Amino acid sequence: MQQQGALIVDYGPAFGGTAARTDKGIVCVVPVQARTRPELKALMREMVTELGGECGHCPNCPLGQQG
Protein backbone atom coordinates (compact mmCIF):
# COMPACT_ATOMS: atom_id res chain seq x y z
CA MET A 1 0.00 0.00 0.00
CA GLN A 2 1.38 3.39 -0.92
CA GLN A 3 1.03 6.17 1.60
CA GLN A 4 0.36 9.70 0.51
CA GLY A 5 1.72 11.44 3.53
CA ALA A 6 4.88 11.82 5.52
CA LEU A 7 6.04 9.53 8.28
CA ILE A 8 6.26 11.78 11.35
CA VAL A 9 8.82 10.50 13.85
CA ASP A 10 10.65 11.53 16.98
CA TYR A 11 14.23 10.28 16.81
CA GLY A 12 15.44 12.94 19.23
CA PRO A 13 16.58 16.55 18.80
CA ALA A 14 19.61 15.70 16.65
CA PHE A 15 17.53 14.09 13.87
CA GLY A 16 17.05 16.50 10.98
CA GLY A 17 14.81 14.39 8.75
CA THR A 18 15.38 12.71 5.43
CA ALA A 19 13.79 12.39 2.02
CA ALA A 20 14.59 9.74 -0.57
CA ARG A 21 13.37 8.86 -4.05
CA THR A 22 11.96 5.37 -4.59
CA ASP A 23 10.56 3.73 -7.68
CA LYS A 24 7.07 4.85 -6.58
CA GLY A 25 7.86 8.43 -5.61
CA ILE A 26 9.45 10.24 -2.69
CA VAL A 27 9.51 8.99 0.89
CA CYS A 28 9.85 11.66 3.58
CA VAL A 29 10.71 11.00 7.21
CA VAL A 30 9.82 14.26 8.90
CA PRO A 31 11.08 15.04 12.41
CA VAL A 32 8.34 15.97 14.84
CA GLN A 33 10.41 19.10 15.58
CA ALA A 34 9.52 20.44 12.11
CA ARG A 35 6.15 21.45 13.54
CA THR A 36 7.80 24.05 15.78
CA ARG A 37 11.19 24.72 14.15
CA PRO A 38 10.88 26.60 10.85
CA GLU A 39 14.52 25.94 9.93
CA LEU A 40 13.91 22.17 9.97
CA LYS A 41 10.75 22.58 7.90
CA ALA A 42 12.69 24.65 5.35
CA LEU A 43 15.48 22.06 5.21
CA MET A 44 13.02 19.23 4.59
CA ARG A 45 11.17 21.22 1.91
CA GLU A 46 14.52 21.85 0.20
CA MET A 47 15.30 18.11 0.25
CA VAL A 48 11.94 17.32 -1.35
CA THR A 49 12.42 20.01 -4.01
CA GLU A 50 15.89 18.68 -4.87
CA LEU A 51 14.33 15.26 -5.47
CA GLY A 52 11.82 16.78 -7.89
CA GLY A 53 8.90 16.87 -5.47
CA GLU A 54 6.66 19.67 -4.35
CA CYS A 55 5.50 20.04 -0.77
CA GLY A 56 1.81 20.55 -0.29
CA HIS A 57 0.54 17.44 -2.08
CA CYS A 58 0.56 15.05 0.87
CA PRO A 59 -2.37 15.48 3.26
CA ASN A 60 -1.57 16.02 6.95
CA CYS A 61 2.13 16.63 6.31
CA PRO A 62 3.54 19.57 8.27
CA LEU A 63 5.91 20.44 5.40
CA GLY A 64 3.08 21.45 3.10
CA GLN A 65 1.20 23.43 5.71
CA GLN A 66 1.61 27.17 5.90
CA GLY A 67 2.97 28.77 9.02
Side-chain angles (χ1 to χ4, degrees), residues 11-18 29-31 33-34 39-41 43-44 47:
Y11 290 140
F15 179 68
T18 189
V29 182
V30 181
Q33 298 90 337
E39 71 278 8
L40 284 179
K41 184 186 279 192
L43 177 64
M44 285 295 305
M47 282 190 232

Side-chain angles (χ1 to χ4, degrees), residues 7-48:
L7 176 61
I8 311 298
V9 297
D10 186 357
Y11 290 140
F15 179 68
T18 189
R21 179 164 286 290
T22 68
D23 60 339
K24 299 202 181 227
I26 297 172
V27 175
C28 298
V29 182
V30 181
V32 69
Q33 298 90 337
R35 295 184 190 274
T36 57
R37 293 181 50 197
E39 71 278 8
L40 284 179
K41 184 186 279 192
L43 177 64
M44 285 295 305
R45 290 177 66 97
E46 184 178 324
M47 282 190 232
V48 172

